């Protein structure tokens, strides 16, 4: 990234500004704005997240917000109620209170003397959720949004559930927020009230996974704040982006398809990162695109920002399997609209134990093939949403395929490119009332190495409706549809396309209550790929992206070394298998305010042999904050286990000041399984 120290506007920074809410709670904001805005008001842009503007998110904030401010905007970075130096408590994600607060913040911004009354919202992940959800409420000052790595469907396309099956990220994200929501404010900012504010957060804390487990199917809890319930609610322009290695790759194209507002989409090869910080690369000059977006929609500049394709996507070339990549080779392609007139369907029938070519013939015998996967299928699946730290992309799929039902093509006679969401339609029967079918699409090189391209999951009890799942009738034949995550991928000539079906995908997906033998009938079963020509003339005319730019981050001194680990192990004496994940930032000091922080997160997923009752997930966090005279620590631990009928949650929360434990609480709760 190129750090920019000369910007069009001189800027000033206010590190702690309080914004009053209707109930008297004050939210804490950090503001960067042009110095001249005291006399010449400018549009204002809000980022609204729970990740601590004063320390843990300050490096990223300092790259992004001064850059945009230096191009003529007031950038307002607010910590949600109950996080950072904002008062109150944070009890769950995306509650009505959160969105009401966002509306109040926007109204406050629009009334400030340095704001011209026009506002926007921006962010990645939670910040993007907040922007989209707030925009659907149509606050009067909000003119446009710019969002990355988001979803419009909180049930079917977030880190909680996928295809009606529960993701292990449901536990992992709950562990993350269990820690973040219980951290103390900075005494240097809020004064002696810090202990009172911290105690209020600790007293109100509860493992969020408990609430998420109480809603195992689509209901009003998930419908709230899901734009997919009413796309017409969005009335302002949106610039939406994500990455193919992210868990949120589907939402961009779904938004382009369903909203009726000026819109642009951008999907790169990235993990859960902003595009100018994108990993795997290539990263792009995203902040320049953001400035152009705001210039047009907040200032009325006729800069051609809406020219060109509706969607720009990175067409990925074939690569060997790896858990991380510095760069993904490929090229940018453009689509004038979505769905695109450039994309057609190619149907690959399941035939004779293989994947037939799309030659127009769908003649299939009614052969049946069976699979009952070991729990080990999925140990090389990587994360639902890659963060690329530690390396967390799927590894070589050959070992996974050993416990799967595999159909593959002959070596391809010519190159095939796909853009969009593949779909598998398959006829199945199971010998259990609750069962899964997990589908993987892989690129198999001539040497046999297999790189997962995309995947999909279906809890078969959700085959008809997400609102009211129904147990399977053992032995009965069902025709089901399994959509896979959207992707752009090239398959070279000589490679094979492989379709793999398994009954487990643990630990990415929490297993069904018990083993199931799945019968797959070839007749009527097929893979449909969204095939795109590799010679669309408009691709060559795409405007190139600039070099990644941002402002230089403030000085941070590393006081201890970070640690990253992703380890799969198996004990062949007791047959216990474990996936251990460690993400430790190490201890570091932010030199602009003297705060020292430490963050260590550990996830552990284990099982014994083929004992479905042995599966266990654990998320443990330690977060430290200090400076001379102030030393606090929060430790959280959440353990999730299950038997055939029940989920079991055991959790602890401990707070320490000066090495002395000042708070401790334990939870031991059971939640019935509902066809999950």
């Amino acid at each position: 990234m190129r750090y920019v120290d000369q910007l069009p506007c001189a800027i000033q920074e206010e590190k702690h500004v309080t914004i009053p809410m209707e109930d008297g709670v004050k939210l804490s904001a950090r503001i960067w704005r042009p110095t001249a805005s005291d006399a010449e008001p400018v549009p204002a842009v809000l980022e609204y997240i729970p990740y601590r503007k004063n320390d843990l998110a300050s490096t990223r904030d300092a790259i992004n917000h001064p850059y945009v401010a230096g191009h003529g905007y007031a950038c307002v970075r607010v910590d949600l109620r109950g996080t950072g130096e904002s008062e109150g408590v944070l009890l769950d994600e995306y509650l009505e209170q959160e969105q009401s607060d966002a509306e109040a913040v926007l109204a406050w911004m629009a009334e400030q003397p340095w704001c011209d009354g026009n506002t926007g919202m921006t962010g990645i992940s939670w910040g993007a959720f907040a922007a989209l959800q707030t925009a659907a409420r149509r606050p009067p000052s909000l003119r446009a949004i710019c969002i990355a790595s988001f979803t419009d469907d909180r049930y079917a396309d977030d880190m909680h559930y996928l295809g009606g099956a529960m993701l292990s990220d449901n536990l992992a994200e709950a562990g993350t927020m269990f820690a973040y929501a219980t951290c103390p404010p900075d005494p240097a900012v809020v004064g002696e009230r810090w202990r009172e504010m911290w105690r209020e957060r600790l007293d109100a804390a509860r493992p969020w996974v408990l609430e998420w487990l109480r809603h195992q199917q689509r209901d009003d809890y998930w419908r709230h704040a899901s734009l997919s319930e009413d796309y017409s609610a969005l009335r302002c322009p949106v610039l939406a982006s994500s990455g193919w290695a992210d868990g949120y790759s589907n939402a961009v194209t779904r938004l382009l398809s369903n909203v009726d507002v000026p819109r642009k989409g951008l999907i790169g090869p990235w993990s859960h990162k902003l595009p100018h910080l994108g990993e795997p690369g290539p990263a792009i000059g995203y902040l320049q695109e953001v400035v152009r977006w705001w210039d047009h929609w907040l200032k009325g500049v006729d800069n051609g920002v809406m020219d060109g394709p509706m969607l720009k996507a990175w067409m990925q070339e074939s690569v060997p399997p790896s858990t991380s990549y510095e760069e993904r080779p490929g090229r940018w392609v453009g689509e004038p609209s979505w769905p695109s007139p450039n994309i057609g369907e190619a149907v690959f029938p399941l035939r004779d134990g293989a994947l037939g070519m799309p030659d127009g013939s769908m003649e299939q015998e009614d052969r049946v093939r069976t699979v009952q996967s070991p729990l080990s299928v999925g140990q090389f699946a990587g994360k639902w949403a890659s963060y690329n730290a530690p390396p967390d992309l799927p590894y070589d799929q050959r070992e996974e395929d050993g416990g799967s039902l595999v159909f593959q093509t002959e070596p391809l006679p010519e190159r095939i490119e796909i853009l969009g969401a593949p779909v598998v339609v398959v006829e199945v029967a199971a010998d259990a009332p609750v069962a899964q079918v997990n589908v993987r699409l892989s690129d198999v090189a001539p040497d046999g190495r297999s790189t997962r391209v995309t995947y999909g999951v279906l809890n078969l009890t959700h085959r008809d409706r997400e609102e009211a799942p129904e147990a399977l009738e053992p032995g009965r034949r069902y025709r089901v549809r399994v959509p896979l995550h959207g992707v752009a991928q090239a398959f070279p000539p000589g490679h094979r396309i492989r379709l793999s079906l398994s009954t487990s995908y643990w630990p990415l997906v929490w297993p069904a209550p018990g083993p199931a033998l799945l019968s797959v009938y070839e007749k009527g079963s097929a893979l449909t790929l969204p095939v795109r020509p590799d010679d669309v003339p408009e691709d060559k005319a795409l405007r190139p992206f600039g070099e990644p730019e941002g402002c230089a981050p403030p000085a941070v001194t590393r006081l201890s070394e970070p640690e990253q680990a992703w380890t799969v192990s198996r004990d062949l004496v007791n047959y216990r298998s474990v996936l251990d994940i460690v993400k430790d930032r190490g201890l570091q000091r932010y030199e602009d305010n003297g705060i020292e922080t430490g963050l260590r997160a550990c996830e552990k997923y284990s099982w014994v042999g083929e004992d479905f009752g042995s599966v266990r997930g654990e998320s443990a966090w330690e977060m430290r904050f200090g400076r001379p005279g102030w030393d606090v620590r929060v430790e959280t631990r959440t353990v999730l286990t299950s038997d055939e009928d029940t989920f079991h949650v055991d959790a602890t929360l401990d707070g320490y000041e000066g090495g002395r434990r000042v708070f401790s609480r334990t939870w031991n709760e059971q939640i019935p399984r509902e066809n999950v």
Side-chain angles (χ1 to χ4, degrees), residues 576-639:
R576 184 172 185 261
S577 299
V578 182
L579 169 61
D580 262 313
I581 304 171
V582 177
K583 182 178 180 179
D584 188 336
R585 289 191 186 180
L587 194 65
Q588 51 192 15
R589 181 173 58 244
Y590 298 88
E591 297 298 349
D592 62 340
N593 57 22
I595 289 183
E596 295 181 3
T597 68
L599 184 158
R600 181 178 177 86
C602 300
E603 295 174 48
K604 187 189 296 285
Y605 303 96
S606 63
W607 66 100
V608 177
E610 294 309 304
D611 181 3
F612 279 63
S614 70
V615 297
R616 183 181 188 273
E618 177 181 340
S619 173
W621 281 69
E622 179 183 296
M623 302 182 78
R624 309 177 65 102
F625 303 89
R627 59 162 62 88
W630 181 54
D631 176 23
V632 293
R633 185 170 87 250
V634 171
E635 294 182 0
T636 67
R637 180 171 173 268
T638 309
V639 175

Side-chain angles (χ1 to χ4, degrees), residues 1 3 25 30 42 46 51 105 139 202 221 274 287 322 328 332-333 348 350 361 420 434 487 509 526 530 577 627 671:
M1 170 177 286
Y3 292 129
V25 166
R30 193 168 188 169
V42 296
L46 170 65
Y51 301 126
V105 170
L202 293 169
Y221 176 83
L274 284 165
L287 291 182
S322 177
R328 281 298 304 260
W332 288 105
V333 300
F348 296 73
L350 275 57
S361 171
V434 180
V487 71
V509 177
S577 299
R627 59 162 62 88
I671 298 171

Side-chain angles (χ1 to χ4, degrees), residues 346-364:
V347 179
F348 296 73
L350 275 57
R351 181 186 298 150
D352 298 329
L355 201 57
M357 292 299 290
D359 54 10
S361 171
M362 284 297 293
E363 290 185 10
Q364 297 163 284

